[in-house]
Amino acid sequence: MVFTAPTFLFFFLPLTLLLNFLFNKYKCRNVILLVMSLFFYVFGEGELVLIMMGSITVNYFLGLWIGKKKSKKALIIGVFINILILVINKYTNFFIENVNHLLSVLEVAPIKEVYIRLPIGISFYTFQSISYLIDVYRNNNKAQKKLVDLALYISLFPQLVAGPIVRYKDIANQLKNRTQSVDKFTTGVERFIIGLFKKVVISNSLAITVDFIFESEIGLIDSSTAWLGIVMYTLQIYFDFSGYSDMAIGLGKMLGFDFLENFNFPYVSKSIREFWRRWHISLSMWFRDYLYISLGGSRRSNIRTYFNLVTVFVMVGLWHGASWNYVVFGLIHGMFIVIERLGFDKVLTRYKILGNIYTLFVVLVAFVIFRLENMYDSLKYIKTMFISTSEDVHYSVFMFLSKENIVVLVIASIMSFNGFNMAFHYLAKKLKLERQKVSSAIEFLKYIGLFLVFIYCIMNVASGSYNPFIYFRF
């Protein structure tokens, strides 16, 4: 079940909100929300919910063990089991495929690949489980003694299938003492509608053209079309994932939870280092706190620090998928962060416009490799971006610049740089409007706009328009 499905919007969500409201002051409210979260997962994944339930049970008892004994052995066992669950379900055939390449060189019979259906959200709930165990060991929070509360933390439906990765220490108190109010609920609804707009109107509209360009024979497109394709994909993936995060944060507020932000206008970044402080923040912070610091962080020699950085970003890439293109994607970002630490960051700080251009260029090129799993196709596409060598071009950029695409591109570009908000406040300053009048104007325009946006989104959902979710496979 996805947030943009009619079943979710018109049945599951209203029912869940109603039950959450009716039982808000009762001790059983976590049980009811847990049941609804498990139903949400079962609706789409069926029997694969057993993997998550098994993971919850194991982590519950290991958490108690760690909390009571501060046992490093228990922590190692817990981290190993969680990684093993993730590796078996996500990377088994990737390992088999690479072993078979080696066996073919040695002229040995290949290993037969096995069919394993990837459980949606396993990368997210596994990382949450690991962070829970490590935080208990580090005394960042106490072990959860109530199985229901730990199960709800791991399976809470707003962030279950595509994040953000929620730390237990950020939500532990809310599991027991969360409060609900009209203001908080209203804020949640507003945030959900904004996320819905990002996903349904912007990302889905861009996806149609993006898929067509990237699935076409690369030799049939020219340089301008190749650039249009990757620019549109860069916007598509941002609005897809940030839209989903907005919806998750909004749903959390409707239910009484406060999740941390996951995106902060990453395309305004002036370095790759800054980009990862703004892009998928929960993932970046997870790798920083649980892998980078564990490897020694920047406490040792410069060479060791650079090694740690590259290792972390290779793992960030591999986290996204079981394919070498994701490893290369992570390696590119890791190498450029090392280059910045070697002194290039001083140049970027001095020339901010250069920094933004450089960052967007690296991000765009790296996203080509992210989008095309075949490395040969990725390199061919990148070459086409700079040198259009084919004489048999079938698709030119003008074929894809329909009025709808131009409007969506303009809106997406402005929103990705926080342009609308900046323009409004600039105008208010120039007109010397009083703060109260500015606030009143914002409130009035906001509610009218959100209502119209919601109606338009519902119309798109009801029409059954193209609705891919990029991050569902992670």
Side-chain angles (χ1 to χ4, degrees):
M1 194 186 306
V2 296
F3 293 166
T4 56
T7 306
F8 177 84
L9 291 171
F10 304 126
F11 171 70
F12 179 85
L13 181 57
L15 178 60
T16 302
L17 293 175
L18 176 62
L19 292 174
N20 188 65
F21 171 76
L22 292 176
F23 293 92
N24 180 45
K25 296 182 179 180
Y26 294 89
K27 292 182 178 181
C28 64
R29 65 176 181 172
N30 281 358
V31 175
I32 293 172
L33 193 51
L34 173 61
V35 170
M36 296 306 293
S37 294
L38 291 176
F39 175 78
F40 173 87
Y41 196 78
V42 169
F43 188 87
E45 293 297 278
E47 70 280 0
L48 293 183
V49 72
L50 296 176
I51 296 175
M52 183 175 67
M53 293 177 68
S55 173
I56 290 170
T57 304
V58 169
N59 284 293
Y60 170 72
F61 286 108
L62 284 169
L64 293 177
W65 183 7
I66 295 170
K68 185 176 182 180
K69 302 289 186 179
K70 295 303 171 191
S71 170
K72 191 172 184 179
K73 178 182 178 181
L75 176 64
I76 292 172
I77 292 172
V79 172
F80 175 78
I81 290 174
N82 280 288
I83 292 177
L84 184 64
I85 292 172
L86 183 60
V87 168
I88 289 175
N89 285 277
K90 191 170 182 177
Y91 300 101
T92 297
N93 284 325
F94 176 64
F95 290 143
I96 292 175
E97 180 184 340
N98 285 279
V99 169
N100 283 342
H101 282 307
L102 177 60
L103 293 178
S104 65
V105 174
L106 300 174
E107 298 183 350
V108 177
I111 302 172
K112 186 178 180 181
E113 293 189 7
V114 294
Y115 172 73
I116 299 177
R117 189 172 134 214
L118 178 64
I120 287 176
I122 190 170
S123 297
F124 292 95
Y125 70 71
T126 299
F127 269 34
Q128 290 193 179
S129 299
I130 292 174
S131 69
Y132 164 70
L133 297 179
I134 294 176
D135 282 347
V136 171
Y137 180 78
R138 291 177 176 175
N139 286 320
N140 290 333
N141 52 254
K142 296 181 180 180
Q144 176 55 254
K145 295 182 179 180
K146 294 183 178 180
L147 178 58
V148 168
D149 287 0
L150 182 67
L152 180 59
Y153 157 66
I154 293 175
S155 66
L156 189 59
F157 76 89
Q159 46 78 43
L160 174 60
V161 295
I165 300 172
V166 178
R167 307 285 189 89
Y168 181 74
K169 64 182 180 181
D170 295 328
I171 202 176
N173 187 56
Q174 298 175 48
L175 289 169
K176 295 184 297 183
N177 302 313
R178 67 184 180 276
T179 58
Q180 294 177 269
S181 66
V182 174
D183 288 342
K184 194 170 187 177
F185 187 87
T186 302
T187 301
V189 172
E190 293 171 7
R191 193 65 180 272
F192 183 84
I193 293 174
I194 291 171
L196 191 64
F197 174 78
K198 284 182 175 181
K199 171 59 188 160
V200 172
V201 178
I202 298 180
S203 183
N204 287 359
S205 297
L206 294 170
I208 298 171
T209 302
V210 168
D211 288 350
F212 186 89
I213 292 175
F214 276 92
E215 290 170 11
S216 299
E217 176 63 40
I218 297 174
L220 300 181
I221 64 175
D222 60 8
S223 293
S224 58
T225 305
W227 275 104
L228 177 67
I230 191 55
V231 167
M232 293 181 77
Y233 177 70
T234 302
L235 291 170
Q236 180 204 353
I237 193 172
Y238 168 65
F239 283 99
D240 183 285
F241 197 23
S242 69
Y244 195 97
S245 293
D246 285 340
M247 286 188 278
I249 291 169
L251 288 168
K253 287 189 178 298
M254 291 184 221
L255 296 169
F257 294 95
D258 290 307
F259 300 150
L260 298 180
E261 294 297 328
N262 206 27
F263 285 87
N264 183 24
F265 302 103
Y267 297 153
V268 305
S269 303
K270 297 172 180 62
S271 67
I272 297 301
R273 192 175 181 181
E274 182 186 354
F275 176 80
W276 282 99
R277 289 198 296 263
R278 293 173 173 272
W279 176 276
H280 203 342
I281 299 169
S282 62
L283 180 68
S284 303
M285 291 178 65
W286 194 98
F287 273 103
R288 182 198 66 188
D289 294 345
Y290 301 112
L291 181 57
Y292 180 68
I293 291 176
S294 298
L295 291 172
S298 56
R299 299 189 300 273
R300 301 183 184 179
S301 66
N302 288 337
I303 293 178
R304 180 57 186 269
T305 298
Y306 303 149
F307 172 79
N308 292 343
L309 284 168
V310 173
T311 299
V312 165
F313 276 93
V314 167
M315 296 308 296
V316 168
L318 193 59
W319 177 89
H320 283 89
S323 178
W324 284 109
N325 67 304
Y326 296 117
V327 175
V328 175
F329 168 81
L331 183 62
I332 289 172
H333 282 271
M335 292 300 295
F336 274 101
I337 286 180
V338 169
I339 290 171
E340 291 172 9
R341 289 181 70 103
L342 287 170
F344 188 50
D345 57 340
K346 296 178 182 178
V347 178
L348 300 175
T349 302
R350 185 174 181 182
Y351 304 102
K352 294 183 178 180
I353 295 178
L354 173 65
N356 192 233
I357 294 172
Y358 144 80
T359 303
L360 286 175
F361 178 80
V362 173
V363 168
L364 285 165
V365 173
F367 269 144
V368 173
I369 296 171
F370 190 93
R371 178 62 174 75
L372 293 169
E373 293 189 11
N374 185 291
M375 285 302 301
Y376 174 78
D377 288 341
S378 296
L379 295 175
K380 191 175 179 181
Y381 191 99
I382 293 171
K383 181 180 178 181
T384 301
M385 289 168 61
F386 299 98
I387 306 172
S388 185
T389 57
S390 176
E391 297 180 357
D392 189 27
V393 174
H394 284 198
Y395 307 112
S396 67
V397 68
F398 299 105
M399 295 176 60
F400 304 102
L401 292 178
S402 63
K403 291 181 180 179
E404 180 184 354
N405 276 348
I406 292 174
V407 170
V408 172
L409 274 171
V410 170
I411 294 175
S413 299
I414 294 174
M415 286 185 66
S416 65
F417 287 89
N418 199 22
F420 288 118
N421 190 47
M422 292 169 58
F424 184 86
H425 285 286
Y426 176 81
L427 182 62
K429 184 178 179 181
K430 284 293 183 181
L431 296 176
K432 298 181 180 180
L433 296 176
E434 296 177 9
R435 182 175 296 179
Q436 186 176 357
K437 291 182 179 180
V438 172
S439 298
S440 299
I442 290 176
E443 287 294 307
F444 177 75
L445 292 174
K446 180 178 70 176
Y447 288 121
I448 295 296
L450 286 172
F451 176 75
L452 295 176
V453 162
F454 182 69
I455 295 299
Y456 186 70
C457 289
I458 293 300
M459 290 171 61
N460 275 267
V461 170
S463 67
S465 57
Y466 190 44
N467 187 33
F469 257 114
I470 295 175
Y471 267 75
F472 263 29
R473 68 173 183 267
F474 305 142

